[in-house]
């Protein structure tokens, strides 16, 4: 992650230079070092994937002249409510939380790779996006989530369809099925934000084939391009 630290510093510097011209987009690195989220089929923590992709997305936005604020990139941010608060305090006009997906426990199968006992799941792949109906800017959140999803679909990525019911049995209905957008009302970073907020699950890291793809620079660049296109379409990513 040392090389990513240099990239993050460059993104923050560029974002500070352009921030006078437009509201920043807050890019939130999902999870943190003490609770790093799902463990991938090849034994990598979700936080590491989130960190890497967030840096690429932030760099892509900054390179297009869009000011950026990175949230949680140092891995110490355990207070989820503090994340949208930090974004809002920095003047951000949009909050995007970056995650990578897993599946319910009953779908995970054991396997051994490089001497490690790990778990994987086949038959699950693709991206998904989430918005909360408790967010006061739901219409704008949904418009941007839909636009990002449409851009990801145009890039050839499939929609993940396994989120209809949570592991606790809570329904997560479609907000817009065609573009992979679900309602997930109680996600803290979405429902406590007072600005438009979206969570992106970039792909399924317990799927061995998709994880290989998600770990590569091409998939990360493709996802970053789609995020930029979507935010431009919904009027958030406005270059100075």
């Amino acid at each position: 992650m040392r090389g990513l630290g240099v990239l993050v510093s460059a993104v923050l510097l560029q974002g500070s230079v352009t921030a006078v011209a437009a509201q920043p987009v807050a890019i939130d690195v999902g999870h943190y070092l003490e609770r790093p989220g799902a463990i991938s089929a090849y034994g990598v923590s979700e936080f590491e994937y989130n960190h890497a992709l967030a840096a690429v997305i932030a760099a892509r936005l900054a390179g297009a002249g869009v000011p950026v604020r990175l949230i949680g990139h140092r891995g110490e941010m355990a207070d989820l409510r503090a994340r949208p608060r930090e974004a809002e305090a920095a003047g951000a006009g949009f909050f995007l939380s970056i995650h990578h997906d897993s599946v319910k426990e009953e779908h995970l199968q054991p396997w051994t790779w490089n001497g490690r006992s790990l778990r994987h799941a086949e038959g699950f792949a693709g991206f998904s996006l989430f918005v909360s109906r408790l967010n006061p800017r739901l219409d704008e959140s949904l418009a941007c989530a839909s636009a990002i999803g449409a851009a990801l679909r145009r890039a050839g990525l499939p929609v993940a369809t396994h989120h209809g019911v949570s592991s606790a049995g809570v329904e997560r209905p479609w907000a817009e099925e065609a573009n992979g957008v679900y309602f997930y009302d109680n996600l803290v970073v979405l429902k406590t934000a007072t600005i438009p907020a979206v969570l992106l699950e970039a792909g399924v890291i317990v799927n061995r084939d998709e994880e290989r793809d998600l770990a590569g620079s091409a998939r990360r660049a493709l996802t970053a391009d789609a995020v930029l296109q979507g935010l431009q379409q919904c009027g958030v990513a406005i270059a100075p």
Side-chain angles (χ1 to χ4, degrees):
M1 290 171 60
R2 186 175 301 169
L4 285 173
V6 174
L7 178 57
V8 165
S9 297
V11 167
L12 289 173
L13 176 60
Q14 185 163 4
S16 66
V17 170
T18 59
V20 295
Q23 284 185 297
V25 172
I27 304 295
D28 171 53
V29 180
H31 297 286
Y32 53 100
L33 290 173
E34 290 186 7
R35 297 186 65 179
I39 300 300
S40 77
Y42 293 99
V44 180
S45 77
E46 181 189 348
F47 176 79
E48 292 184 54
Y49 276 106
N50 298 344
H51 188 279
L53 180 57
V56 174
I57 291 172
R60 181 70 183 93
L61 294 179
V66 179
V68 173
R69 177 76 177 198
L70 277 163
I71 307 291
H73 58 284
R74 295 182 182 89
E76 82 296 349
M77 207 163 193
D79 182 356
L80 298 181
R81 289 173 174 79
R83 293 170 181 249
R85 287 201 302 265
E86 181 178 311
E88 290 156 13
F94 187 83
F95 183 92
L96 179 65
S97 189
I98 303 301
H99 288 255
H100 288 73
D101 213 352
S102 185
V103 299
K104 294 178 184 177
E105 286 286 324
E106 59 262 33
H107 298 305
L108 292 168
Q109 301 295 321
W111 80 304
T112 301
W113 184 77
N114 278 356
R116 295 181 63 185
S117 296
L118 297 164
R119 297 190 299 173
H120 73 99
E122 306 308 311
F124 301 89
F127 72 89
S128 50
L129 298 118
F130 298 88
V131 297
S132 172
R133 286 172 289 196
L134 300 177
N135 181 288
R137 308 282 291 275
L138 172 60
D139 288 348
E140 295 154 276
S141 301
L142 181 53
C144 289
S146 176
I148 293 169
L152 289 166
R153 286 179 57 241
R154 287 195 299 272
L157 298 185
V159 169
T161 59
H162 63 281
H163 287 294
V165 180
S166 74
S167 57
V170 178
E171 288 189 7
R172 294 175 186 161
W174 287 110
E176 190 190 35
E177 184 173 359
N179 291 323
V181 187
Y182 292 85
F183 288 121
Y184 193 165
D185 294 331
N186 285 319
L187 274 173
V188 172
V189 294
L190 302 184
K191 73 177 184 178
T192 62
T194 61
I195 57 177
V198 172
L199 186 145
L200 168 64
E201 295 277 8
V204 181
I205 56 172
V206 293
N207 177 318
R208 290 175 292 191
D209 291 336
E210 186 163 45
E211 182 184 356
R212 293 292 197 193
D213 194 29
L214 289 161
S217 59
R219 175 70 173 261
R220 288 172 178 158
L222 180 154
T223 300
D225 284 344
V227 168
L228 175 60
Q229 291 170 29
L231 294 182
Q232 287 173 331
Q233 182 178 336
C234 71
V236 168
I238 302 172

